[in-house]
Amino acid sequence: MAYYSTVLLLLYLSWVLSFSLVCSQNDLPVKAASIGNWLLIEGWMKPSLFDGIPNKDLLDGTQVQFMSTQQKKYLSAENGGGKNLIINGSSASSSETFRLWRINETFFNLRVSNKQFVGLENEGQGSKLVAVSTSPKSSEIFQIIRKEDDKNRVHLQASNGQFLQVKSDADITADGNGSSWDDDDPSVFTMIIGSGLQGEYQLTNGYGPDKAPQIMKDHWNTYITEEDFNFMSQNGINAVRIPIGWWIMYDPNPPKPFVGGSLEALDNAFKWSEKYKLKVIVDLHGLRVSQNGFAHSASRDGFQEWGSSDIQETVDIIDFLAKRYANQPSLLAIELMNEPRSPGINLVDLKKFYKDGYDAVRKYTKDAYVIFSNRLGGDLKELISFSNSFSLVVIDIHMYNLFWMGFDNMTVQQNIDYIYNNRGSDIKSVSDQGPLIFIGEWTSEWDVKNASKEDYQKFAKAELEVYGRASFGWAYWAYKCDEIHWSLKWMIENRFIML
Ligand SMILES: *[C@@H]1O[C@H](CO)[C@@H](O)[C@H](O)[C@H]1NC(C)=O
Ligand SMILES: *[C@@H]1O[C@H](CO)[C@@H](O)[C@H](O)[C@H]1NC(C)=O
Ligand SMILES: *[C@@H]1O[C@H](CO)[C@@H](O)[C@H](O)[C@H]1NC(C)=O
Ligand SMILES: *[C@@H]1O[C@H](CO)[C@@H](O)[C@H](O)[C@H]1NC(C)=O
Ligand SMILES: *[C@@H]1O[C@H](CO)[C@@H](O)[C@H](O)[C@H]1NC(C)=O
């Protein structure tokens, strides 16, 4: 009897063991949807979220230029910053461009291209304007007063109550009276609004502390619901990739302008994923100090500044996430940092962070995958040998047939060939080198104009086939988006994509 029980036990154990191995293999490759614009705002995916913001064309990070109507020349930071403001030239480039830091709907700091803030040289009457301080003080706040019937004609009121005026090319002072809107008034400027950002910083700071909490709460509760997790599980999706921002670790009271509540939403995502048998990839997308300058890094003003002194605080966020979710059965992976951008992010800092972030995850779980994003613009193999000293590590590479001039005029067939040839050989070149490979972002949108449904279907089929060769799998960008071809939900419902 003892013999038979032992045999039975062994049989049972080997069955359990093989079953669990099969189970974990079944998680891969993932066919995932990125739930973008849910816990981390990207305005282009749902622009109407910004509609209720007063002066919504003047958000944090908006790049503006000021042309003196009298001189017909642009206000400029001499040498790009560190010196006086001057008037230099009748055309504008980086030295003539100011990035807004919004205090409220009409008050702003102005950040110049060398990153200093515009302010007064002294508090006295007739003070010169300078761009020297590296963190903004109260004397570095300006009110942008727009003309009622011509929003791009402005006065700039300094903290001393006086108005900026141009006395001569090298003499910009805060002692104008702002009494007229005439062209020949030295305190009148034409404001040219350039590119801006529409990320979570802009949204929450734009609405301000009174309105932002409700706006965000409504968004979290309506943009994605349990029904979406059901939909995914019914339609061939087996995992979700969820971009989040750094402030989630301070929930429910994150530093301003961010508001609390995204942590509860992420908890719900885990609950629903378990119910509908989806795996979860938690993806740290937004850092306090931007790793790429994009709105989706939650950057305030578009400067990419992440570096060695920001490693520890970024590891702390990973530690927080790993600790909280390590025992969730749906947790598949933690992605340490989305899209670090080369050359601004150097490999030495990045590898140090990846090592420390990996160790933080391993403090809580041996089973979760740890995802290292390749640098945007970096060599596809630059992390391969480094990654081989860890276990269950994945390299994330994003593949869009967009954002490069070479795609501008490609035909349908050229786009498809590019997937099979270029993307196919890229994936082959990094496969079987050690780490698993994840095509963590792609979409079936492209630069082809007015393509037919059949064109999109052929393109999506090629992408699914080639990206399906990646050992860890892929994630479509995004699950849901106002731009229909970026919405996997729409693409599935309308049979553009068949999984
Ligand atoms: C004035 O503008 C020109 C052209 O943009 C630039 O080369 C030059 O350095 C600027 N001068 C100063 C003093 O900033
Ligand atoms: C906006 O900020 C300025 C500068 O801090 C302050 O003086 C003003 O009262 C604020 N306005 C509103 C409407 O909060
Ligand atoms: C305001 O300043 C302008 C330019 O210096 C001057 O011509 C005008 O007389 C001043 N107006 C008042 C009301 O002081
Ligand atoms: C694409 O075509 C447009 C219009 O024909 C042309 O202006 C542009 O230079 C082309 N771009 C590239 C990258 O070839
Ligand atoms: C695409 O279609 C629109 C509307 O039918 C048309 O105005 C436009 O010229 C087309 N563009 C191209 C590149 O064919």
Side-chain angles (χ1 to χ4, degrees):
M1 277 309 275
Y3 171 74
Y4 284 110
S5 341
T6 309
V7 168
L8 279 178
L9 182 67
L10 284 175
L11 277 174
Y12 175 71
L13 279 180
S14 75
W15 178 76
V16 166
L17 203 62
S18 61
F19 186 70
S20 66
L21 277 177
V22 168
C23 269
S24 63
Q25 279 166 0
N26 274 352
D27 297 338
L28 301 186
V30 298
K31 298 175 180 183
S34 282
I35 307 189
N37 191 43
W38 185 37
L39 307 185
L40 185 84
I41 294 296
E42 294 194 33
W44 68 278
M45 297 174 71
K46 191 180 179 192
S48 60
L49 276 175
F50 288 73
D51 283 351
I53 300 178
N55 266 342
K56 69 170 181 166
D57 54 348
L58 300 180
L59 298 174
D60 287 281
T62 300
Q63 300 190 10
V64 297
Q65 296 162 341
F66 301 102
M67 190 189 73
S68 158
T69 55
Q70 185 196 55
Q71 305 281 329
K72 305 267 183 287
K73 287 181 187 168
Y74 290 87
L75 204 57
S76 170
E78 189 172 2
N79 293 343
K83 304 179 102 177
N84 293 340
L85 288 201
I86 56 169
I87 287 284
N88 182 27
S90 49
S91 72
S93 65
S94 61
S95 295
E96 290 75 36
T97 301
F98 302 86
R99 298 180 191 213
L100 301 179
W101 278 26
R102 180 165 162 140
I103 311 296
N104 56 39
E105 66 180 88
T106 58
F107 286 80
F108 302 88
N109 303 125
L110 305 171
R111 201 178 190 196
V112 302
S113 59
N114 286 352
K115 300 185 179 174
Q116 296 91 345
F117 294 87
V118 177
L120 304 179
E121 186 171 43
N122 57 59
E123 298 292 324
Q125 278 295 314
S127 172
K128 279 200 180 213
L129 272 293
V130 294
V132 293
S133 85
T134 49
S135 61
K137 299 187 286 288
S138 59
S139 61
E140 282 144 9
I141 294 176
F142 295 86
Q143 185 169 21
I144 299 180
I145 300 168
R146 309 178 96 166
K147 185 167 186 268
E148 193 66 46
D149 59 357
D150 181 0
K151 297 284 188 203
N152 291 331
R153 180 166 285 244
V154 300
H155 286 137
L156 296 168
Q157 189 172 28
S159 57
N160 63 3
Q162 306 288 300
F163 293 82
L164 247 69
Q165 64 173 338
V166 179
K167 288 195 179 139
S168 71
D169 282 3
D171 200 10
I172 318 293
T173 52
D175 57 357
N177 57 35
S179 63
S180 90
W181 289 112
D182 298 339
D183 270 0
D184 60 3
D185 183 323
S187 67
V188 174
F189 297 89
T190 299
M191 177 171 65
I192 295 104
I193 300 177
S195 64
L197 299 170
Q198 283 198 320
E200 185 134 340
Y201 200 105
Q202 287 70 33
L203 187 77
T204 50
N205 204 30
Y207 278 107
D210 296 336
K211 290 191 186 143
Q214 191 62 45
I215 296 278
M216 294 309 295
K217 190 161 186 267
D218 292 346
H219 173 66
W220 292 323
N221 290 339
T222 56
Y223 194 71
I224 297 292
T225 65
E226 178 176 343
E227 181 44 36
D228 292 303
F229 286 73
N230 184 26
F231 175 89
M232 286 186 267
S233 72
Q234 300 292 312
N235 285 281
I237 301 294
N238 62 10
V240 290
R241 175 174 178 258
I242 307 181
I244 54 157
W246 62 278
W247 54 92
I248 200 168
M249 76 177 281
Y250 298 103
D251 213 277
N253 297 303
K256 282 186 173 38
F258 301 106
V259 303
S262 61
L263 189 61
E264 188 188 340
L266 184 57
D267 288 348
N268 283 336
F270 271 96
K271 206 168 67 194
W272 297 331
S273 294
E274 192 178 349
K275 180 166 174 187
Y276 296 104
K277 304 201 164 33
L278 298 168
K279 291 289 170 181
V280 179
I281 299 165
V282 179
D283 157 36
L284 181 59
H285 227 77
L287 272 58
R288 192 183 63 82
V289 182
S290 178
Q291 75 278 29
N292 55 37
F294 295 127
H296 56 67
S297 69
S299 171
R300 181 169 195 176
D301 61 17
F303 282 121
Q304 172 184 332
E305 299 182 290
W306 190 90
S308 56
S309 57
D310 307 305
I311 292 174
Q312 188 54 51
E313 67 169 61
T314 315
V315 171
D316 292 344
I317 308 164
I318 299 300
D319 190 286
F320 168 84
L321 294 167
K323 184 174 184 186
R324 188 175 184 90
Y325 296 113
N327 297 319
Q328 287 284 334
S330 298
L331 180 71
L332 179 68
I334 296 182
E335 178 154 12
L336 301 183
M337 177 194 286
N338 180 64
E339 294 191 346
R341 195 170 175 184
S342 169
I345 304 298
N346 73 61
L347 265 183
V348 175
D349 293 340
L350 190 62
K351 286 178 179 174
K352 168 92 173 87
F353 167 64
Y354 282 165
K355 184 191 178 306
D356 293 355
Y358 175 90
D359 290 342
V361 175
R362 287 287 170 260
K363 268 164 61 184
Y364 306 102
T365 165
K366 286 199 283 293
D367 306 324
Y369 291 95
V370 179
I371 303 181
F372 296 169
S373 303
N374 218 73
R375 289 185 306 170
L376 277 186
D379 187 280
L380 290 186
K381 291 184 178 163
E382 69 184 18
L383 293 172
I384 299 270
S385 62
F386 166 74
S387 303
N388 282 331
S389 46
F390 308 97
S391 76
L392 298 185
V393 156
V394 181
I395 309 262
D396 179 5
I397 299 167
H398 296 174
M399 294 190 166
Y400 290 101
N401 274 24
L402 290 163
F403 313 127
W404 171 55
M405 267 174 24
F407 294 123
D408 285 1
N409 296 327
M410 274 192 194
T411 62
V412 170
Q413 192 55 47
Q414 284 169 333
N415 270 282
I416 291 171
D417 291 345
Y418 193 88
I419 298 297
Y420 282 116
N421 300 334
N422 302 56
R423 301 306 195 191
S425 64
D426 281 350
I427 291 171
K428 194 159 189 285
S429 74
V430 289
S431 295
D432 305 321
Q433 304 267 323
L436 296 167
I437 300 300
F438 180 38
I439 310 305
E441 289 188 17
W442 62 279
T443 183
S444 292
E445 189 53 293
W446 52 5
D447 283 332
V448 176
K449 301 287 176 300
N450 295 354
S452 69
K453 177 171 177 176
E454 287 68 30
D455 294 335
Y456 275 102
Q457 286 173 326
K458 278 192 285 182
F459 184 52
K461 188 166 165 288
E463 292 178 293
L464 283 170
E465 185 183 328
V466 173
Y467 300 157
R469 296 174 198 156
S471 47
F472 187 77
W474 50 257
Y476 194 87
W477 190 275
Y479 171 66
K480 195 175 168 188
C481 185
D482 277 11
E483 305 270 344
I484 52 178
H485 302 125
W486 292 83
S487 167
L488 185 57
K489 182 173 193 282
W490 189 94
M491 295 292 268
I492 288 173
E493 284 172 338
N494 291 279
R495 305 190 61 75
F496 277 54
I497 286 182
M498 264 89 56
L499 294 177

